[in-house]
Amino acid sequence: MITTTPSVAVMKLSKAEYIELCDRFRDKAQQAHQDMRVWMNRCLAAEEQLAALKAAS
């Protein structure tokens, strides 16, 4: 069974609740961005190592 979350537009939240919701979404987005950067850096390091190995052979 799939449950869907109601749209924020129909939730009728107070200003403070909207601010809290925005803060929560911003924090999640920033965390996801940091996680992505970790993997991107790992990928770049692996590509550098691969290029060095190809050059050495």
Side-chain angles (χ1 to χ4, degrees):
M1 180 174 167
I2 298 174
T3 58
T4 58
T5 321
S7 169
V8 175
V10 297
M11 290 175 131
K12 300 188 181 190
L13 301 173
S14 69
K15 182 178 178 180
E17 290 170 323
Y18 275 119
I19 291 170
E20 181 184 343
L21 189 62
C22 289
D23 289 343
R24 191 175 332 141
F25 285 142
R26 183 185 61 245
D27 292 344
K28 284 183 180 182
Q30 287 175 342
Q31 183 61 46
H33 182 71
Q34 289 172 356
D35 293 346
M36 181 274 312
R37 289 186 64 84
V38 167
W39 284 104
M40 181 186 69
N41 290 337
R42 288 178 183 169
C43 176
L44 292 173
E47 287 175 342
E48 288 176 12
Q49 290 176 351
L50 182 59
L53 289 172
K54 283 183 179 178
S57 56

